[in-house]
Amino acid sequence: MRKFTNVNFKALIFGAAIAGAFILFGYQFWDWFYPFSAIGLLYAGYGQDNIKLGTIAGAIASTPIIVLTFQGYMGTFEGFFLTEDGIMALTILILAVGAFVGLVGAWTKRSRVKALEEYEKKQKIGKNKKKNKK
């Protein structure tokens, strides 16, 4: 009984690693590396077969960002975010943003596949029909 046959684990693991690596680079070197952690989440969503799996993969790939945030790599927190409710709200917020970025990656892949199919369909019709057979 195989439940996870459609999940691309390579994209999921590499996406999570890329997201975590850019957080660490941002902490260690320059602050402008932080936004590039979204590249990993996009890759995790783009590597999946459908939009639903891409959204879930983006949320799962954002878990290293949650861990690094609570270890202090994204700065210190004060006020509401030191309470239990604040920690839970921040966790849900990071998961929601990760899921959204994964959704965008999966949607981009779906749109690219559709565009390639349209292009192939157009190549079979019209004046270039004889050129493409060679």
Side-chain angles (χ1 to χ4, degrees), residues 18-87:
I18 290 168
F22 274 110
I23 296 294
L24 291 174
F25 290 154
Y27 179 76
Q28 188 117 21
F29 300 114
W30 297 294
D31 289 341
W32 54 271
F33 274 136
Y34 285 123
F36 290 105
S37 65
I39 293 170
L41 304 176
L42 278 170
Y43 179 69
Y46 187 84
Q48 305 309 318
D49 290 337
N50 57 24
I51 291 181
K52 194 182 301 185
L53 282 175
T55 305
I56 294 169
I60 292 171
S62 67
T63 54
I65 297 174
I66 294 169
V67 171
L68 292 173
T69 300
F70 291 135
Q71 288 182 354
Y73 288 98
M74 299 280 279
T76 58
F77 295 107
E78 55 188 39
F80 172 71
F81 292 109
L82 293 177
T83 64
E84 291 177 9
D85 293 337
I87 290 172

Side-chain angles (χ1 to χ4, degrees), residues 70-123:
F70 291 135
Q71 288 182 354
Y73 288 98
M74 299 280 279
T76 58
F77 295 107
E78 55 188 39
F80 172 71
F81 292 109
L82 293 177
T83 64
E84 291 177 9
D85 293 337
I87 290 172
M88 186 61 69
L90 188 62
T91 302
I92 292 170
L93 179 68
I94 293 172
L95 285 174
V97 169
F100 177 72
V101 175
L103 171 91
V104 169
W107 180 71
T108 303
K109 181 178 182 178
R110 185 187 75 172
S111 297
R112 182 175 184 270
V113 167
K114 283 184 179 180
L116 286 174
E117 289 173 358
E118 291 280 331
Y119 178 75
E120 291 295 324
K121 196 183 297 182
K122 283 183 180 180
Q123 289 298 317

